[in-house]
Structure formats: C-alpha cells, structure tokens
Amino acid sequence: MGNEPREGRLKEGVEPKFRTVHPAPPPGLIPAGFNSDIAPTFSSPMAEASTPTQTLLDRMIAERQLSAADAAAFVQARSLQGTSGSGGQEPNEREVLEWLSQEYGVGFLPLESVEADREVLALFPARILLKEELLPLRREQGTIEVATCRLFSTRGLDTLRSLTGLRLKLVLVPREALLREMKKNLGVGADTIGALDEEKSVQVVDENTEDSNLDAGAEDEASIIRFVNQVLKDAIELRASDIHLEPFEHEFRIRYRIDGELQEIPLPAQLKQFQPAIVSRIKILSHLNIAEKRLPQDGRIKVRIEDTEVDIRVSVIPMLHGEAVVMRLLRQNSTLRGLSQIGLGARELQCFRRVLDLPHGIVLVTGPTGSGKTSTLYTALNEINDEVRKIITIEDPVEYQLRGVNQIQVSEKAGLTFARGLRSILRHDPDVVLIGEIRDRETAQIAVQASLTGHLVFSTLHTNDAPGAVTRLVDMGVEPYLVASSLEAVLGQRLVRVLCPECKVPDTSAHANAFRLRMGMGPDVELFKAVGCRHCRQTGFFGRHAIFEWMDTDENIRRMILENASTDQIRAAARSAGMRTLSEDGWRLVAEGITTVEEVLGVTTDKDTPRNNAATESGDPSGPASGENAAGSRT
Ligand SMILES: [Zn+2]
C-alpha cells in the first residue's frame, strides 16, 4: 500500500483528480464522486471493433469495476508506455486493477494473497458484505482493509463504516479472489439467511410448540428452500458423502464428510433461529411427518444436479437442543470403473478375475464401515453382468443401480431382513448373489447354503483383515468344515486419503528418512507430506485411494480352517503363500508419493509392520475408516 496523496481523500469520499498524464476524459464521463455507485459512466467509450483489450475493459466496465473514463485513460497510459499495440502483451484484469490502484492510491492484492481474517470478518454483518461485495480482510494499524473488486463501491464502505464505527480502507482485489473468499468465509446460504433476518417475519420458534414457521410468509419459505437447496448442492459439489446438521444450545452446526473426514461449513451465526424451519423443510422433502418431533424418523430425497442423480437417505433424531439430521448421499449414476482401475496390484487383480469365473463359492470383502467394500463388489459385478448370468442383490441400502441386475432393498420395518430375502432369492434361480453384509448367523448360514447349492456369493464382513473373516464366520456359528468348503477368497480393504497434488511437498524430516531406511526404500524414493491449500480446503488431501490384501483359501488354509487354526496362523500361511498385507500395499502408495505413512498407519493394524516411532507419534488415528454415520451402514 503506497502513500499516494489521494488515499485520504478517497477515504473521505472526496472527488479525486486525474493525473495530468491522462488526456482529459470526454465531458460527462468524469466520475462525479466516489460516494455514489451511479455517478461513473459505466458504458464503453469504445464502440469500434473489439480487441481483446477492449473486450476485457468492456467486461470490467459492465461489471462496474472500471469507469469508461478510466478505461480510456488506461488505454492512453499503455500507449504512452509503449506497452500496447501488436508488440505488447494484452492486459489482464490484474494489470488494470493494479493501474487503478496506483491512479487512485489504494492498495492492490493479487489473487494468491487474498485471505480474510475470520475474527475481523465477524465484526461485520454478512448480509451487507454479500450485497455490496465487500470483504474485510485484516486489521492493519487500527484500520481495517476491506477488499473489493469495484473501486467505486464506496457506498457500501460508508454503510459499513457507520454501522461499525471502524476505520476502513479499500483494497482492490481480483474479482475471482473476492468471490472465492466470500464463499469460503461467509458460507453457503449466508445471503438467503441474511435476507430472512432483515425481514424479521420469521419468528424464533420453540421446537416443542407447533410449527409456527409454517405460518411464515411465502418469501421466507422461499429463502429456507433456497438455503436447503444450496446446502445439498454444495455438498454434492464438494464430493461429500454425508451432511450432518447438529443442534446445540447456541449454535446450529452443519458439517460435510469429505474423503471420510468431517469438515465444518462456515455459516452465519443467525442460522440458529432458523433451525426448526430448516429441519422442517428437510422433513417435507423426505416425506416425513413434520409434526413428529419426539421420535427418530428415516426418509429419503432424490435430487438431480446436472447429470448426477443423488439419492439422499435422511435420518432425523431428536436431541437435547432440537432435531439432528444426517443425510447420506448416494450418487446413483456415478460411473463404475473397471476392476483394473480400482488400484488392485497385478497379483490381486489376477486372483480377483479368477474367482469371478467360479461357478460357486463365497467371496468376501472385509473392512470397517466406509472402507469402500460395496464399490469394489459392484465393480466386480459390473464385470460379470451379462445376458447369460442372472444376478440378484440384497442390500441395505441399495447404493448403486446396475442395469440388468435384480436388486432388493432390505426393509427391517416390513420384515424383509437379509436372511428372509436371501431365502426367497434362491427360488429365483440366480447364478450370482450379492448380500450387502453378513451380520448374523442366519444370514451367514444361508450364504453358505447358497454357495454349496451352486451359487457364486459375494458379501462383506466387518473384520480387521482378510484372515479374520474365517474366525468371524466360525464365531457366527458356521461350522468350520462349511467355511473351509465354501469360502473361496477374502479381500481386505481400506481407504487412505490421497495427498493433494496441488500442495504436497517432499517430506525431508528425520522421521521420514528413518522410516525410509527401516522400510528398505532407496534414497531415490521420495516421501511426501500434506500441506493444505485452497484446492483441498486446507486439509492437504484430495480424494481417496484403496489399499487391499487378497487371501485365497488354498488347500493349506482350508486344512487350517478345519483344524481351528487362529487368525494369526492363517495370516502367516497366507503371507507365505504370497499375500501382500494392507500396510504393505499402503507402503507401495507411500513410496509412489500418493499418500503418507500416517494415513496408512491410521487405517491398518498389522502387527508385523515395522513401525516408525516418529510416524506413530504424529500418526493420525482418526483415519477415514473410523467414520461412522448415522444414516445407514456404509460398507
Ligand atoms: Zn491442497
């Protein structure tokens, strides 16, 4: 920020004077004053054929970032400097804004250095900031810098000044940076909630009384509808798997689960008073009883955004301070990748392909909730889904829809359990059966029966690793000889977060080096660590990648099952037969710079993995697999 002579006057709204280097602007085009948004003439003085420069200036004029007079002066200044014409580069928004900032003695911040201080931001009403497109950034020597991309929007600045009594000064920023920061800091729907607040027609309603929010005017209702739509839309765009709306005494919090981690969404503080109206809106969308506020309810919403259809499972549970809502997002036509594209190693892929051609047997995918088991099974089903095979699935909930596959939705309420549905399925003579999850003895036994009577059965099980599936089935009450004869293979699976490609940096710390040595990785192997940037919402990670371990039940392991061998013994046998464990698969991703040591340690429990002290200390125990969700069992 320079000490330009006109800064003070600009702050007081005094008409600035142009430097003498400018040609006199045509009469009538001189900005009459900076206290008005209207005074500068925002129409192009250049009516001739458009050059890229003129297109840019016209656009900036149309968006009221620039007055016509300034545009003319800018062109003139460039031609005097000899930067225009065929030899020179075409200007961009940044150059124009920098020029403006010099002309008017205001600061300029480039795109990458625009970052708002939350504490400073909290001093101003979000509604006015959004309306005037002003964003307070930081406090500097008692004065608060307020970002704008429109130099002439000083009316908004005056409003803020009189509302807060603070000393403010404008700083010019690129439009893109302003919009990005506004969205990030003022949050989803801040404008619609702000509008509601202003109108005051929605009363603060007591959650225990009748729905007074239903009496709200149509406009308020429209605002609530817009707000809820915005929440859903943002969640889908941010790749969220769940939306959590949580009522607390003085706060109504909304969080999205992205890549397995909950992330809080910045919201206006006034949101709390609209909590009942927002929950009611969600209940209406999901066909729930809005009058019932004392009992949990489950419902669903179907939404479509562009080509993506999303099935949303809604769970409402009354809590101490109002009803909490968890929405689980199931993307219906998220395209399934091929089996070779889900990250299986060459050996694992070959093993998987082999069992797909088996006439009968059980193939299990194991891992905790949210480890991507269902996606893997669907990818497999997709490979064998053809006209000669009949495939039936029974799931809770149905997560993907496959053409040509018969899918059954479990409904405990109606008495259609896994076990009951499964018994009926067999009468429909399928070749392949997918059971969403083996949860109990009855389901396990029918699965075994189905396998023994000539069906290929796929299912999932909650165990720590692949060898653990054997013990789990036996613990559920399946006879070891039945497990030995029906179980063909088990795939253990976890998800690790992928380092954000935009901001990851080489990890040259001592503990990274120690780890590399311990793992026998050469000096050419580079480890990376998470940093955090805008692209990844400061988490350092973007997306997830699966790690696998594949255990074939070969003759040796079948014999061990019959002999009641322990999980450890079975694991050792599987490893000596070539099984690569989950963490060994994870180290492969670490060595490729895809994820971090901590991520892999966070989701695996291998006893035989050499652990690095430093990595264990700083390890993130809240791996993606630790996420449970209330709206349904994700497998
Ligand atoms: Zn990043």
Side-chain angles (χ1 to χ4, degrees):
M1 173 82 232
N3 49 355
E4 298 287 329
R6 272 183 251 112
E7 183 193 346
R9 273 177 280 164
L10 181 66
K11 277 198 288 193
E12 270 115 50
V14 171
E15 182 177 341
K17 292 185 176 67
F18 289 99
R19 284 181 178 169
T20 46
V21 66
H22 297 171
L29 293 177
I30 303 172
F34 290 93
N35 271 343
S36 163
D37 271 350
I38 301 144
T41 307
F42 292 104
S43 66
S44 174
M46 295 164 285
E48 314 94 57
S50 272
T51 64
T53 309
Q54 278 176 8
T55 310
L56 171 77
L57 294 176
D58 284 347
R59 202 199 68 218
M60 291 182 71
I61 288 169
E63 291 182 358
R64 302 167 78 90
Q65 289 181 274
L66 194 65
S67 74
D70 282 320
F74 174 77
V75 171
Q76 181 81 18
R78 270 177 69 87
S79 73
L80 283 176
Q81 284 167 17
T83 39
S84 66
S86 55
Q89 283 214 327
E90 295 294 340
N92 54 21
E93 186 202 19
R94 176 179 178 149
E95 191 184 331
V96 177
L97 291 176
E98 277 189 281
W99 177 84
L100 267 179
S101 87
Q102 277 170 16
E103 288 304 300
Y104 291 108
V106 294
F108 170 78
L109 282 175
L111 184 71
E112 53 281 1
S113 46
V114 177
E115 187 106 48
D117 178 337
R118 287 278 171 86
E119 274 178 38
V120 168
L121 204 55
L123 304 168
F124 300 86
R127 181 180 55 83
I128 293 173
L129 298 181
L130 285 157
K131 186 167 161 234
E132 303 290 346
E133 292 194 358
L134 290 172
L135 186 73
L137 291 181
R138 59 192 174 199
R139 197 187 290 267
E140 203 134 274
Q141 293 166 348
T143 302
I144 287 169
E145 270 188 4
V146 180
T148 182
C149 65
R150 296 184 190 135
L151 185 57
F152 303 102
S153 63
T154 48
R155 190 186 58 190
L157 198 68
D158 287 340
T159 310
L160 289 182
R161 210 176 260 139
S162 54
L163 269 174
T164 62
L166 294 164
R167 285 173 60 194
L168 312 173
K169 72 176 179 192
L170 277 181
V171 53
L172 270 173
V173 301
R175 187 174 160 77
E176 186 195 334
L178 186 76
L179 297 181
R180 178 195 74 213
E181 287 297 304
M182 293 212 116
K183 177 127 189 166
K184 188 173 104 196
N185 291 289
L186 300 173
V188 49
D191 49 344
T192 52
I193 286 298
L196 272 171
D197 198 38
E198 187 184 37
E199 285 145 21
K200 292 272 184 244
S201 43
V202 170
Q203 307 303 310
V204 180
V205 281
D206 178 0
E207 299 93 72
N208 298 317
T209 60
E210 279 301 287
D211 274 287
S212 40
N213 56 305
L214 286 185
D215 304 325
E219 261 179 60
D220 304 327
E221 237 177 79
S223 292
I224 292 286
I225 289 169
R226 270 205 309 278
F227 175 78
V228 171
N229 290 350
Q230 190 66 41
V231 167
L232 298 177
K233 185 166 164 275
D234 276 22
I236 292 165
E237 283 174 359
L238 288 169
R239 308 172 294 115
S241 56
D242 309 78
I243 308 170
H244 295 240
L245 291 88
E246 301 156 303
F248 298 102
E249 190 176 2
H250 300 296
E251 190 196 355
F252 188 47
R253 183 161 76 167
I254 299 187
R255 295 191 289 176
Y256 295 154
R257 189 182 292 283
I258 302 168
D259 294 336
E261 307 258 304
L262 283 173
Q263 293 182 24
E264 186 151 2
I265 302 306
L267 291 166
Q270 314 96 295
L271 190 68
K272 178 67 184 168
Q273 72 188 93
F274 303 104
Q275 171 190 317
I278 291 166
V279 173
S280 289
R281 172 64 191 160
I282 293 170
K283 284 178 167 177
I284 290 168
L285 284 174
S286 34
H287 307 289
L288 296 178
N289 180 356
I290 53 170
E292 176 57 78
K293 294 179 176 184
R294 287 163 304 175
L295 291 173
Q297 296 188 70
D298 294 325
R300 53 194 285 197
I301 309 173
K302 245 196 168 116
V303 298
R304 179 191 288 277
I305 287 189
E306 282 163 15
D307 284 345
T308 317
E309 207 172 273
V310 184
D311 195 4
I312 304 174
R313 301 303 162 98
V314 183
S315 165
V316 183
I317 302 179
M319 303 268 175
L320 194 57
H321 298 291
E323 289 167 291
V325 181
V326 172
M327 291 185 267
R328 182 171 171 208
L329 278 52
L330 303 171
R331 286 157 183 78
Q332 289 304 325
N333 28 7
S334 53
T335 41
L336 282 168
R337 291 171 296 177
L339 204 55
S340 58
Q341 291 161 296
I342 61 172
L344 288 160
R347 174 184 173 271
E348 289 76 11
L349 182 61
Q350 198 190 354
C351 293
F352 210 151
R353 288 243 157 92
R354 180 185 70 81
V355 301
L356 289 181
D357 285 330
L358 293 176
H360 55 81
I362 298 179
V363 177
L364 296 175
V365 181
T366 69
T369 295
S371 52
K373 302 188 291 286
T374 307
S375 312
T376 300
L377 281 182
Y378 264 96
T379 307
L381 278 194
N382 201 29
E383 294 247 318
I384 54 170
N385 181 18
D386 55 26
E387 58 281 0
V388 298
R389 263 184 273 226
K390 182 172 174 103
I391 304 176
I392 307 185
T393 76
I394 178 158
E395 303 162 82
D396 185 23
V398 173
E399 291 190 29
Y400 296 87
Q401 287 183 30
L402 275 188
R403 237 187 107 221
V405 171
N406 303 275
Q407 295 177 284
I408 302 168
Q409 164 75 52
V410 162
S411 168
E412 302 278 347
K413 217 186 283 175
L416 179 57
T417 59
F418 274 113
R420 184 153 177 196
L422 200 46
R423 267 196 296 272
S424 309
I425 282 178
L426 299 181
R427 290 197 281 274
H428 275 221
D429 187 28
D431 299 291
V432 179
V433 178
L434 183 143
I435 307 164
E437 187 188 341
I438 296 180
R439 286 181 198 167
D440 51 44
R441 178 185 179 156
E442 204 182 355
T443 310
Q445 284 173 337
I446 304 170
V448 169
Q449 261 171 35
S451 154
L452 295 177
T453 52
H455 306 89
L456 184 57
V457 179
F458 291 104
S459 191
T460 71
L461 208 55
H462 283 234
T463 62
N464 282 333
D465 57 7
V470 171
T471 332
R472 178 60 50 85
L473 287 176
V474 172
D475 287 349
M476 275 181 176
V478 183
E479 293 292 338
Y481 78 92
L482 290 175
V483 176
S485 53
S486 59
L487 189 64
E488 285 296 333
V490 187
L491 177 70
Q493 174 168 357
R494 292 290 188 286
L495 294 176
V496 291
R497 291 184 297 167
V498 173
L499 280 162
C500 171
E502 305 278 316
C503 65
K504 68 175 181 184
V505 296
D507 188 352
T508 52
S509 64
H511 83 255
N513 286 329
F515 181 82
R516 206 162 45 192
L517 278 178
R518 200 181 291 232
M519 297 306 295
M521 296 169 176
D524 51 315
V525 175
E526 201 165 28
L527 305 185
F528 286 85
K529 64 179 178 188
V531 177
C533 70
R534 256 176 244 119
H535 177 65
C536 57
R537 297 172 59 81
Q538 307 304 331
T539 58
F541 296 91
F542 194 90
R544 287 190 288 177
H545 195 292
I547 55 176
F548 299 103
E549 65 183 17
W550 182 277
M551 182 185 85
D552 272 321
T553 34
D554 57 21
E555 283 316 307
N556 185 33
I557 290 178
R558 283 185 210 279
R559 184 181 48 77
M560 292 176 77
I561 297 172
L562 286 174
E563 291 166 357
N564 278 315
S566 71
T567 300
D568 284 347
Q569 288 168 321
I570 294 174
R571 185 189 300 111
R575 291 193 73 187
S576 58
M579 180 178 86
R580 178 165 62 184
T581 64
L582 282 170
S583 38
E584 282 165 352
D585 201 26
W587 306 142
R588 181 177 61 103
L589 299 188
V590 171
E592 285 171 21
I594 293 171
T595 191
T596 64
V597 174
E598 289 80 4
E599 274 297 305
V600 176
L601 287 177
V603 296
T604 56
T605 52
D606 277 20
K607 291 168 196 154
D608 39 25
T609 297
R611 289 202 173 209
N612 167 294
N613 290 336
T616 312
E617 276 159 29
S618 62
D620 171 19
S622 61
S626 65
E628 291 295 322
N629 74 86
S633 69
R634 188 208 329 242
T635 54

